[in-house]
Amino acid sequence: MSQVLEFERCDLDIKSNKRSHHTEQNGEDRLIVRRGQPFSLVLHLKAGSPEFNPEETSFTLIVETGTLLGKESDTKVSFGLKDSTDDKEWSASASKAPGNTVALNISSSPEAPIGLYSLSLLQQGQSTSLGAFVLLFNAWCPRDAVYMRSETKRQEYVLSQHGLLYRGSATRIHHKPWNFSQFEPGILDICLKILDEGLNVVSDTDQDCSERRSPVYITRVLSAMINSNDNEGVLVGEWAEFEDGVHPSTWIGSGDILRQWADSGPVCYGQCWVFAAVDCTVSRALGIPCRVVTNFSSAHDGNGNLLIEKMYDEDGERLEDPDSVWNFHVWVESWMARPDLEQAGFDGWQVSDATPQETSEGVFCCGPVPVSAIREGELTKKFDAPFVFAEVNADVVEYVKLSTGDFVKFSGSTDSIGQNISTKAVGRDKRRDITHHYKYPEGSEEERRVFEKAQHRNKLQKKGKEPGLRIKIKLAKNMVVGSDFEVYAVLANNCMVAKSCSFMLYARAVRYNSTRGASCGFISDTVTVTPGEEKLLFLKLKYSDYGKVISPDRMIQVTAFVNDKENREYHKAEKLIVLDEPDLEVKLTGEARVGQPLTAELCLLNPLPEALQDCSFTLEGVGLTQEKPITIKLGTVASKQEAKASVQLSPREAGFTVLLVDFDSDKLKNIKNFIPMVVMSDALSPSLNTIAMT
């Protein structure tokens, strides 16, 4: 049996760990480490406790963040001791140290969610708290999605607290110094608070915590939370009146803004460079390499056609339109891998923008989208590639609106948008032009080719033809109540990359007013659909399942649903089945003449695989049934047998009339038919021997 150690205290070795994890600028009040890299602790044993012996002592360590308790999400992980730590997963090793202590080394998973963790030790069912630590992204770890090879770049884009922002115009560029202040006291806690108040936390707290393993997810959350348009985010944007707040040009650093937000909510006011600078601060504080980028002559494509359309009246006055060109616009680039895009070549710098310009998936945010995707005109790449592409490479077209209402194109430009895209140089207070990262040289054959490709793909995307997954439902030709039949869904991939999805097809009874009933069929599969491929999913609807739940309306709602969790993409198609009813045959024999007998012969085949109880026919017709319906009760009709009745009528009035017939039973209701006729008053009335309606 393993010996039980008794602990006096745990030394988190904060100073040494912070030095090796590049977090010493955060102060020495608590342990802050980066994921995928070991950190050390010292366990002090109580007097009289057995000495630590690796061969005789074993215990389990538990790390936990957030509220989702499960290994699947990596938010609560238990692990025992090994001979050495493993850089691929949570692991630990221990050794005896001088002075009745145990040296404990712990390595976190390079894919663990970032945030505040608790650490505890479990032995023989008894748990002992060892303390807490904050886990950050790690640009020094090759297995981390934010890994950067260059130490000088890591110093600039993760550790530097000072920078330059660029403003002005393409021909007169001015720099503005900025204090990012990501390591000032309290700032990291505020950054974690920003994550805790994101919209996704409200909708699904557990899922949000699990998703914090991804810098793509974190970057998108920050893009939405740095502005306050959809939530109690950090900054209120304003471009006109500033009397009740701070003019955006007054700010010189992020620290005051973040502290004000933490104390009293959204801060007034910000504009693009302020949004971007605060976004950069939070990203660096969390360990994501980040830089601020300025685009001069930046387009705002309001209608998504990759063109900036300027409208003028015949006097040269500018008319209102959804498009505009900003003298400059500022966003951030964050460095990370993009495994969510599947296709290689899109790792590296990713654009995201916290300035609230347009909504993305219903929220004011933008990105992250690979800079390389913008350069190549790959507008299908997440997120918001068409909007960012237009910001740097839209064409300008100018029109005059005539008094007749017609528009005449009179000017344009293919090279005025997206000039001198700038960021601070690494290790120097100099401007670096990175326009070539975003596009080929203006006017070059390659640049025109990319633009035309992007515009073509954008048009297809807006029309719904491409790209994306397309889904439709196909129904069987004969779907008579009582029969078993098959429906199927077709999933087509019109994207340029393979898609792995959950593919579901289910059926549910429904009433004519859309009230949903019980389920009567379900099938699902996990499929990978390559570009241009189709996948089929078949669902057999059996009477034994749907017969128990359908209403007399005989309606079944069939729904196909595709869930691409990795890309947060969902598609749905629906078809309403109205089951065919059996034929109710109505035949009339004899002459339709006033005062003369007329026989109605009724027949219905029971299509169900079971007997019908309480069967009856009901007939009604003006001048035919003596002012009230006639009901003939038949009792039980066996499966696949006919329900038959013969009813004698005596018309009372001459003229046009209609005989209505209804069949009713316990399991088959609302089966109706009718037959029109002309009742004659004399011997000239035609014979009705051949009149029938089915």
Side-chain angles (χ1 to χ4, degrees):
M1 184 174 180
S2 175
Q3 60 182 0
V4 177
L5 302 180
E6 296 182 53
F7 300 102
E8 181 178 277
R9 62 186 174 88
C10 175
D11 181 358
L12 297 179
D13 201 8
I14 292 176
K15 186 174 182 179
S16 176
N17 283 321
K18 283 192 169 184
R19 185 166 54 249
S20 62
H21 283 254
H22 311 279
T23 60
E24 61 268 35
Q25 294 184 79
N26 286 103
E28 296 183 5
D29 58 330
R30 61 176 171 173
L31 180 60
I32 301 172
V33 294
R34 301 187 187 273
R35 66 183 191 175
Q37 179 179 338
F39 58 94
S40 60
L41 311 175
V42 178
L43 302 177
H44 292 260
L45 302 177
K46 288 183 178 180
S49 171
E51 291 186 355
F52 174 75
N53 186 328
E55 297 179 357
E56 299 179 3
T57 306
S58 65
F59 49 78
T60 299
L61 294 167
I62 301 173
V63 291
E64 182 176 354
T65 183
T67 59
L68 186 60
L69 308 181
K71 292 184 178 180
E72 297 78 16
S73 64
D74 230 5
T75 57
K76 181 178 181 180
V77 183
S78 301
F79 50 97
L81 298 178
K82 294 183 176 181
D83 292 336
S84 61
T85 57
D86 187 338
D87 60 0
K88 303 183 188 67
E89 60 185 8
W90 285 98
S91 58
S93 64
S95 60
K96 187 178 184 304
N100 202 26
T101 62
V102 178
L104 183 64
N105 288 319
I106 299 174
S107 182
S108 61
S109 166
E111 297 179 349
I114 65 164
L116 178 63
Y117 279 77
S118 63
L119 173 64
S120 57
L121 184 149
L122 183 67
Q123 54 178 349
Q124 295 191 3
Q126 183 175 355
S127 178
T128 302
S129 174
L130 300 183
F133 62 94
V134 176
L135 188 67
L136 305 178
F137 291 108
N138 193 353
W140 286 262
C141 174
R143 295 184 182 275
D144 195 302
V146 303
Y147 173 66
M148 286 189 115
R149 290 180 179 275
S150 169
E151 178 59 22
T152 56
K153 290 182 178 180
R154 293 192 291 248
Q155 292 291 326
E156 178 70 35
Y157 298 133
V158 179
L159 300 182
S160 177
Q161 297 195 80
H162 309 285
L164 298 176
L165 314 181
Y166 295 94
R167 302 168 58 196
S169 67
T171 56
R172 294 181 64 85
I173 299 174
H174 301 284
H175 67 264
K176 178 181 178 68
W178 192 269
N179 291 323
F180 294 112
S181 309
Q182 68 266 33
F183 298 119
E184 287 187 2
I187 295 299
L188 178 56
D189 286 330
I190 296 172
C191 295
L192 295 174
K193 175 182 171 68
I194 290 173
L195 297 183
D196 289 339
E197 298 197 6
L199 290 177
N200 291 347
V201 174
V202 176
S203 61
D204 192 335
T205 302
D206 293 338
Q207 183 64 24
D208 170 79
C209 187
S210 177
E211 290 283 359
R212 294 184 190 183
R213 71 182 64 220
S214 167
V216 176
Y217 177 80
I218 294 293
T219 298
R220 191 153 176 81
V221 170
L222 296 184
S223 175
M225 277 298 298
I226 300 302
N227 71 75
S228 61
N229 281 43
D230 300 292
N231 44 48
E232 292 295 298
V234 177
L235 279 160
V236 178
E238 180 57 60
W239 283 262
E241 300 293 332
F242 310 98
E243 291 181 359
D244 56 347
V246 176
H247 193 287
S249 295
T250 304
W251 302 111
I252 59 173
S254 303
D256 288 344
I257 295 171
L258 290 170
R259 292 188 187 93
Q260 285 190 37
W261 174 79
D263 290 339
S264 56
V267 178
C268 300
Y269 293 102
Q271 290 182 3
C272 64
W273 68 91
V274 186
F275 288 111
V278 174
D279 197 351
C280 184
T281 293
V282 180
S283 297
R284 291 184 181 182
L286 299 176
I288 301 174
C290 189
R291 65 186 184 186
V292 180
V293 173
T294 302
N295 177 41
F296 293 94
S297 296
S298 185
H300 181 158
D301 182 17
N303 57 13
N305 63 357
L306 307 186
L307 298 175
I308 301 303
E309 297 161 306
K310 297 182 178 181
M311 310 294 183
Y312 301 84
D313 64 20
E314 292 181 87
D315 295 323
E317 291 291 330
R318 181 77 184 269
L319 303 176
E320 289 189 6
D321 54 61
D323 297 337
S324 61
V325 178
W326 297 19
N327 286 341
F328 68 92
H329 182 51
V330 187
W331 55 68
V332 298
E333 291 178 1
S334 301
W335 182 270
M336 67 191 71
R338 290 301 300 268
D340 58 311
L341 298 182
E342 296 182 356
Q343 186 178 351
F346 297 106
D347 296 342
W349 291 116
Q350 316 286 321
V351 172
S352 65
D353 190 353
T355 302
Q357 296 184 84
E358 299 286 345
T359 59
S360 172
E361 298 182 337
V363 178
F364 278 96
C365 65
C366 179
V369 60
V371 174
S372 56
I374 302 306
R375 177 181 169 89
E376 298 301 329
E378 294 287 347
L379 303 194
T380 64
K381 303 307 175 191
K382 300 183 295 184
F383 297 90
D384 312 302
F387 185 80
V388 177
F389 181 90
E391 286 183 302
V392 301
N393 209 13
D395 283 358
V396 177
V397 184
E398 296 178 308
Y399 297 91
V400 168
K401 183 178 182 180
L402 305 179
S403 58
T404 61
D406 295 325
F407 289 89
V408 176
K409 178 181 176 181
F410 73 98
S411 183
S413 170
T414 62
D415 60 5
S416 61
I417 299 298
Q419 298 185 21
N420 298 334
I421 302 174
S422 304
T423 191
K424 178 185 174 297
V426 175
R428 297 183 300 148
D429 291 333
K430 299 289 184 180
R431 183 182 74 89
R432 183 187 176 199
D433 193 303
I434 57 172
T435 307
H436 60 288
H437 289 184
Y438 283 83
K439 56 185 178 178
Y440 292 95
E442 286 286 2
S444 67
E445 180 178 340
E446 195 70 18
E447 186 266 339
R448 285 292 87 194
R449 178 191 64 78
V450 168
F451 180 84
E452 291 170 6
K453 179 183 75 171
Q455 192 172 51
H456 175 67
R457 293 294 296 276
N458 193 52
K459 287 180 179 178
L460 290 175
Q461 188 170 6
K462 290 171 75 63
K463 289 180 180 179
K465 294 181 180 178
E466 184 188 359
L469 296 172
R470 297 290 174 262
I471 187 170
K472 54 187 176 181
I473 297 172
K474 297 289 188 178
L475 304 179
K477 291 184 178 180
N478 298 312
M479 296 179 292
V480 180
V481 62
S483 66
D484 297 344
F485 54 90
E486 212 167 43
V487 299
Y488 66 96
V490 182
L491 175 62
N493 184 3
N494 295 322
C495 303
M496 301 302 292
V497 296
K499 295 280 188 176
S500 295
C501 317
S502 296
F503 192 8
M504 293 163 279
L505 186 61
Y506 50 90
R508 183 182 293 274
V510 65
R511 295 183 181 272
Y512 80 96
N513 63 354
S514 297
T515 302
R516 301 172 68 207
S519 173
C520 56
F522 175 81
I523 191 169
S524 67
D525 195 8
T526 300
V527 297
T528 298
V529 196
T530 59
E533 185 185 12
E534 290 185 347
K535 293 284 189 180
L536 306 182
L537 188 62
F538 292 85
L539 174 63
K540 189 165 187 177
L541 295 177
K542 298 180 180 180
Y543 174 75
S544 58
D545 295 323
Y546 72 74
K548 297 176 289 189
V549 298
I550 60 170
S551 74
D553 302 313
R554 294 184 296 280
M555 293 180 178
I556 298 174
Q557 184 80 55
V558 180
T559 303
F561 192 79
V562 174
N563 182 347
D564 182 358
K565 288 186 178 180
E566 184 175 357
N567 298 308
R568 292 190 174 185
E569 188 177 347
Y570 308 93
H571 302 271
K572 185 183 77 170
E574 287 185 339
K575 278 285 182 72
L576 180 65
I577 297 174
V578 181
L579 294 173
D580 294 334
E581 60 190 40
D583 291 336
L584 171 54
E585 297 182 0
V586 182
K587 293 183 179 180
L588 297 175
T589 59
E591 295 182 341
R593 181 187 292 272
V594 173
Q596 297 294 320
L598 178 67
T599 301
E601 295 180 349
L602 314 174
C603 180
L604 180 139
L605 175 68
N606 175 11
L608 305 186
E610 58 184 329
L612 297 175
Q613 307 294 330
D614 303 322
C615 298
S616 65
F617 286 110
T618 300
L619 301 85
E620 184 176 11
V622 175
L624 297 174
T625 57
Q626 310 305 320
E627 300 180 353
K628 65 178 181 180
I630 299 172
T631 298
I632 299 94
K633 295 184 178 181
L634 305 175
T636 300
V637 176
S639 172
K640 309 303 180 182
Q641 298 299 306
E642 291 181 335
K644 290 186 176 182
S646 180
V647 181
Q648 191 172 76
L649 306 172
S650 180
R652 292 181 296 106
E653 300 174 4
F656 179 81
T657 189
V658 175
L659 177 66
L660 303 176
V661 183
D662 175 76
F663 176 83
D664 191 39
S665 69
D666 63 334
K667 299 180 181 66
L668 201 57
K669 300 177 182 293
N670 201 26
I671 309 298
K672 292 179 169 61
N673 203 352
F674 69 95
I675 187 167
M677 68 182 74
V678 177
V679 178
M680 305 301 290
S681 60
D682 54 40
L684 297 178
S685 70
S687 172
L688 296 179
N689 288 338
T690 60
I691 295 179
M693 177 169 286
T694 62

